[in-house]
Amino acid sequence: MQITENQDLTQYNTFHVPAKARYFVLVENKSELPQLIDFANHKQLPILILGQGSNVLFTRDLNMIVTKFNFSNLQITSQTHDSTIIQVQAGKIWDNFVAWTVENNLYGAVNLSFIPGTVGAAPVQNIGAYGTEVAQIIEKVEVFDLQTLNFTEIHKQNCQFAYRSSIFKTQLKNKAFITSVTFKLSKKPYFNLQYKDLQHLKNNPGLNLQLLRQTIGQIRHKKLPDPKTIGNAGSFFKNPIVSKEQARQLKDRWPQMPQYQLNNAVKIPAGWLIDNLGLKGYKMGQAAVYQHNALVLVNLGNATGKQILKLANFIIDKVFEIYKIKLEPEVNIF
Ligand code: EPU
């Protein structure tokens, strides 16, 4: 376990905003976790586990023990004729895992290519893209229980996976750390091409995992800025879910509004709501709405977290004023 004091976090968050961590701890092995808890108890400070910092906005210095997990082993734990079960430790970079599945001809993860973040962070908000959610390939999640200091496994059925949510974000928030995730991937070819920009691949005789990964890379490149060059955290807001009645009224007023039917409700793309207000490219100092995608807020250079938050609140207010819909941030704000 390696501890530094007053660590600058600019390089540890993809918005690249400045913030200092009172303590910054790198944990090399999960066996060090009891030691981390001892340290936190001694300092009487909360612990924040940071993945790649790709879904956080820091608006102040953090009087916390900001921790990164460096353990990242990948192990095939069992196989059948049709599937492979793989346990991956929390610190592994998510897309390195996806790339590994593609190289090994395993099906199920490829639509989640190029999502920034770590394997341990993926179940927390049930990452999703292009018709796939990580919940669909998770078997179980191993956690370190902060009360009992034991490792336990939570089966997928008990993870309460929902759109951008799970038990790790609700009941178990600050109560357990994810230390590894076990996935079940298919050896039998299958492709999820339901997303509109992927449907053209259905008729492509050369369709394989590499081609699908490459196509997803191209779609993402058009809509999502690379955090290495423009600070951002992907979608800033969740797509709101409204009642069927409210959706009908909205459709009467804005016939072009895209709407996705769920069982008993309707999901509306927040990007469309913001775009339709003419806010794509809107700037507030160094914080801006990305010019190619209204759902993404960007740091044009040296924005602070507070400035980005101010822009986010401005958007929340505008969207509420016009559509009577309350947008919720998808990123975690500190
Ligand atoms: N749209 C606009 N203007 C915009 C942005 C979007 O009109 O500026 C419209 C699009 O034309 C489309 C609809 O909104 O009709 C939905 O857009 P898109 O398919 O790009 O997806 P999204 O709903 O904006 C979600 C996820 C993304 C994920 C994509 C693709 C959320 C909050 N975001 O975005 O996830 O990559 O679908 O599956 O659910 C992330 O979570 O950080 C993320 C990038």
Side-chain angles (χ1 to χ4, degrees):
M1 208 169 91
Q2 188 189 315
I3 304 172
T4 43
E5 282 191 56
N6 298 318
Q7 169 75 47
D8 174 55
L9 297 176
T10 311
Q11 295 316 313
Y12 291 101
N13 73 94
T14 59
F15 262 120
H16 305 309
V17 295
K20 282 202 179 85
R22 180 69 190 87
Y23 293 99
F24 186 71
V25 179
L26 292 174
V27 176
E28 301 298 335
N29 193 301
K30 70 178 194 178
S31 62
E32 294 173 348
L33 288 173
Q35 204 186 327
L36 173 70
I37 304 300
D38 270 355
F39 181 68
N41 288 342
H42 177 65
K43 297 290 177 193
Q44 299 213 315
L45 289 175
I47 298 169
L48 168 66
I49 308 292
L50 199 60
Q52 270 193 307
S54 54
N55 206 42
V56 290
L57 177 64
F58 297 140
T59 63
R60 55 186 164 85
D61 289 339
L62 303 181
N63 194 22
M64 291 179 161
I65 299 169
V66 177
T67 304
K68 269 178 81 79
F69 290 170
N70 272 352
F71 39 96
S72 61
N73 286 348
L74 180 155
Q75 193 193 358
I76 294 179
T77 54
S78 67
Q79 302 209 46
T80 64
H81 183 63
D82 295 337
S83 63
T84 301
I85 308 282
I86 308 135
Q87 184 178 25
V88 189
Q89 290 190 317
K92 188 158 190 79
I93 301 296
W94 170 259
D95 192 52
N96 291 350
F97 165 60
V98 177
W100 179 90
T101 69
V102 169
E103 280 156 27
N104 288 277
N105 286 315
L106 292 170
Y107 295 78
V110 65
N111 288 40
L112 304 175
S113 286
F114 305 112
I115 296 183
T118 57
V119 165
V124 178
Q125 65 149 338
N126 184 17
I127 58 168
Y130 311 111
T132 297
E133 286 185 344
V134 75
Q136 292 161 350
I137 53 167
I138 288 179
E139 274 302 286
K140 58 187 181 183
V141 176
E142 179 197 62
V143 298
F144 178 71
D145 183 318
L146 303 191
Q147 247 112 57
T148 63
L149 304 191
N150 286 327
F151 291 93
T152 51
E153 286 182 337
I154 304 181
H155 191 261
K156 62 179 170 189
Q157 258 121 34
N158 299 323
C159 290
Q160 296 177 13
F161 286 123
Y163 168 63
R164 292 298 191 273
S165 185
S166 73
I167 195 168
F168 310 107
K169 207 175 157 174
T170 52
Q171 266 158 269
L172 291 185
K173 189 174 177 176
N174 302 327
K175 295 207 170 75
F177 299 155
I178 294 176
T179 46
S180 78
V181 183
T182 299
F183 300 94
K184 182 179 184 180
L185 294 163
S186 174
K187 290 182 180 175
K188 280 199 185 155
Y190 81 87
F191 299 98
N192 177 354
L193 304 176
Q194 60 178 269
Y195 186 75
K196 61 180 184 324
D197 295 353
L198 295 176
Q199 284 172 12
H200 69 279
L201 290 177
K202 276 184 189 154
N203 306 318
N204 188 325
L207 176 61
N208 58 24
L209 284 170
Q210 283 76 11
L211 177 65
L212 184 49
R213 178 165 162 85
Q214 193 190 335
T215 309
I216 282 167
Q218 287 158 357
I219 299 171
R220 289 186 69 90
H221 186 66
K222 273 191 224 143
K223 295 186 180 176
L224 297 164
D226 181 351
K228 286 195 194 98
T229 47
I230 306 176
N232 77 93
S235 300
F236 194 91
F237 302 102
K238 285 195 270 191
N239 287 333
I241 294 170
V242 303
S243 69
K244 289 196 166 187
E245 176 54 22
Q246 191 180 359
R248 202 185 50 72
Q249 287 169 10
L250 289 162
K251 196 82 179 171
D252 280 349
R253 172 119 187 248
W254 291 279
Q256 291 89 343
M257 180 183 288
Q259 299 192 339
Y260 309 117
Q261 304 300 319
L262 307 176
N263 279 347
N264 252 325
V266 177
K267 186 150 81 174
I268 299 180
W272 187 92
L273 297 173
I274 301 165
D275 193 358
N276 187 53
L277 297 178
L279 291 175
K280 209 187 244 176
Y282 182 84
K283 287 183 192 150
M284 210 180 239
Q286 291 285 296
V289 179
Y290 186 49
Q291 55 180 338
H292 303 299
N293 183 349
L295 193 54
V296 178
L297 302 189
V298 294
N299 177 0
L300 293 176
N302 46 25
T304 61
K306 278 199 172 68
Q307 287 165 344
I308 294 168
L309 182 62
K310 196 171 159 203
L311 174 62
N313 284 331
F314 169 80
I315 294 168
I316 290 172
D317 290 349
K318 276 274 169 235
V319 165
F320 190 74
E321 185 189 323
I322 305 298
Y323 310 101
K324 297 289 174 280
I325 292 176
K326 190 150 175 23
L327 286 187
E328 284 175 27
E330 197 229 56
V331 303
N332 297 301
I333 298 170
F334 293 93

